[in-house]
Amino acid sequence: MNGSLPSRTTGLTFRSLDHGLRLIDTATSEMLPSAEEVQLELDRERAERLKLVAERDHEQERLEAEERAQAAEGEIRRLRKEMERRG
């Protein structure tokens, strides 16, 4: 016996390995990810989403600042023209 226990109910094979119990898809012989592996992947995906949100927010802030700068430049031009007109 290789330390495995097949389950007809779940379609999985329970295998005892050095680092604990692992689940194997009996049909494909693929090892299912451990809870720790799943959590690491979820954490990685969450960090990536947070990074993308931060980048998007930063870009939005940059665009808004650029719009404010353009508006300020337009106001400066308008005021200069007004000052020139008044002489």
Side-chain angles (χ1 to χ4, degrees):
M1 182 116 191
N2 64 1
S4 296
L5 177 64
S7 168
R8 287 187 222 146
T9 306
T10 64
L12 300 173
T13 298
F14 300 89
R15 182 171 296 159
S16 177
L17 299 176
D18 292 339
H19 56 279
L21 183 67
R22 293 301 301 256
L23 303 176
I24 313 295
D25 182 324
T26 306
T28 65
S29 298
E30 286 188 41
M31 190 175 299
L32 276 60
S34 68
E36 293 83 12
E37 292 167 337
V38 170
Q39 188 61 54
L40 285 172
E41 181 63 17
L42 290 172
D43 291 346
R44 186 197 64 73
E45 289 175 0
R46 182 175 186 271
E48 181 64 24
R49 281 193 310 275
L50 290 172
K51 178 183 172 191
L52 291 173
V53 167
E55 288 172 355
R56 184 197 65 209
D57 290 349
H58 177 73
E59 179 64 12
Q60 183 64 33
E61 290 171 5
R62 187 192 68 74
L63 291 172
E64 290 170 359
E66 187 175 309
E67 287 175 5
R68 288 190 303 273
Q70 289 175 353
E73 289 170 0
E75 181 65 8
I76 290 170
R77 282 191 299 276
R78 185 190 70 75
L79 291 171
R80 283 186 177 150
K81 286 180 183 177
E82 180 68 24
M83 288 174 57
E84 287 174 5
R85 187 179 61 79
R86 290 186 181 188

